[in-house]
Amino acid sequence: MADQTQDTGFLTARIDLQGLEKDLNSFKDKLDGWSDAIVRKTEAEKVQHVREMQKLSETIQQIQKEHDALSQQALVVRQQLEREDEEHEALKKAVEEIIARQESLPELIATVQEALDAESNALWRRKAKTESKEGEQSDFSRGLQKIIDAYSDRLGLTLSPTENGMDIVYTHIDRNNPTRKFKVCVTCDDDDTSTYSVTSCQPPLNDMLQSDIDDLNATGDFSSFVMSVRRRFVDTCC
């Protein structure tokens, strides 16, 4: 009788173990299905991100072409000013108004600085979770376009994303040659520290950029870095 009771208990325990194993296998199948769905979603978002970046790059290139064309037109007007004495005073006044407009840019910069802060810092530092990547990419695209629209014509600023950073190109720096390009290339280490560094600068600013890079790494304020570098380029033309 005791042996029969023991066998019954062992059988019950075995049945419970089989049920537990079945439950675990069912949970594993669900977990595998969820993981596969996450991987597929991530790949789709990655493809969408690449497409958006390509569109942004094409937009930036088109804006740069239009900007260069406008700059060339401005140069032709200036040459005509030098040749035609009769129109000299009128064209000179127009140039002075353009310069005055350029000097009033701090007000414009203050208006868009918040957008520049948010979107530029997001470019370097965002490490979003998989389920929120699509929304972040859309926000980044809209923010970057807002910065380009606000700055390209008036400030002569072009932002060109690279593989691990960004090329920042300025024009409208040298009043004697508005189309002259001033360029600084910035990269960000792809690690937990996200440290910024300058890989090239034309024309060279020597050691003057170090303090700007130190401030950028300390604060993450990319818009202040962009404006500080522009002021340093302007100083070289004085």
Side-chain angles (χ1 to χ4, degrees):
M1 184 67 177
D3 291 340
Q4 183 178 1
T5 301
Q6 184 176 3
D7 291 341
T8 301
F10 176 76
L11 179 60
T12 300
R14 182 177 180 183
I15 293 174
D16 290 341
L17 288 176
Q18 290 176 344
L20 178 59
E21 181 178 2
K22 180 179 180 181
D23 291 341
L24 289 175
N25 289 334
S26 176
F27 177 75
K28 180 178 181 298
D29 292 339
K30 292 179 179 179
L31 182 60
D32 290 342
W34 179 80
S35 297
D36 291 341
I38 290 296
V39 170
R40 290 193 298 269
K41 182 180 179 182
T42 300
E43 289 299 323
E45 290 174 349
K46 180 179 178 182
V47 171
Q48 182 64 24
H49 173 70
V50 171
R51 291 175 179 171
E52 292 295 333
M53 292 302 296
Q54 289 175 342
K55 291 180 180 179
L56 284 175
S57 179
E58 292 172 357
T59 301
I60 290 171
Q61 292 175 1
Q62 181 61 32
I63 291 174
Q64 183 62 46
K65 289 180 181 179
E66 294 175 359
H67 173 72
D68 290 343
L70 290 174
S71 297
Q72 183 62 33
Q73 293 176 11
L75 181 59
V76 171
V77 170
R78 185 172 181 177
Q79 292 172 345
Q80 182 180 356
L81 176 64
E82 295 174 352
R83 293 193 303 265
E84 300 178 8
D85 294 338
E86 183 178 353
E87 299 179 1
H88 178 78
E89 290 301 324
L91 292 176
K92 180 179 179 181
K93 182 178 180 180
V95 172
E96 290 174 349
E97 289 176 352
I98 292 174
I99 294 174
R101 187 177 178 184
Q102 181 177 347
E103 292 174 347
S104 67
L105 283 174
E107 182 177 355
L108 171 65
I109 294 169
T111 302
V112 299
Q113 183 167 348
E114 181 178 357
L116 180 62
D117 286 342
E119 303 306 329
S120 295
N121 290 335
L123 174 65
W124 302 98
R125 298 185 181 279
R126 75 181 189 283
K127 292 181 178 179
K129 295 180 181 180
T130 301
E131 60 271 18
S132 65
K133 281 187 177 180
E134 182 176 354
E136 288 188 352
Q137 291 166 357
S138 178
D139 291 343
F140 167 73
S141 300
R142 290 194 299 269
L144 183 57
Q145 187 61 52
K146 184 189 299 181
I147 295 168
I148 293 171
D149 292 342
Y151 281 85
S152 60
D153 289 337
R154 300 183 184 180
L155 189 60
L157 174 65
T158 301
L159 306 176
S160 300
T162 61
E163 182 177 354
N164 61 341
M166 178 173 288
D167 290 345
I168 308 170
V169 180
Y170 305 83
T171 55
H172 298 172
I173 296 289
D174 188 346
R175 293 184 181 180
N176 294 324
N177 185 4
T179 62
R180 180 185 176 189
K181 294 183 180 181
F182 295 73
K183 179 179 179 181
V184 60
C185 301
V186 182
T187 60
C188 182
D189 295 338
D190 188 15
D191 54 26
D192 294 337
T193 61
S194 296
T195 302
Y196 299 96
S197 61
V198 172
T199 57
S200 67
C201 180
Q202 293 295 332
L205 292 176
N206 298 326
D207 296 332
M208 289 189 289
L209 283 179
Q210 188 59 49
S211 61
D212 296 325
I213 284 294
D214 291 341
D215 290 341
L216 176 59
N217 284 319
T219 65
D221 189 349
F222 196 77
S223 63
S224 295
F225 172 78
V226 171
M227 297 312 304
S228 179
V229 173
R230 184 180 189 278
R231 286 193 293 269
R232 295 192 186 281
F233 280 137
V234 171
D235 290 341
T236 63
C237 296
C238 296

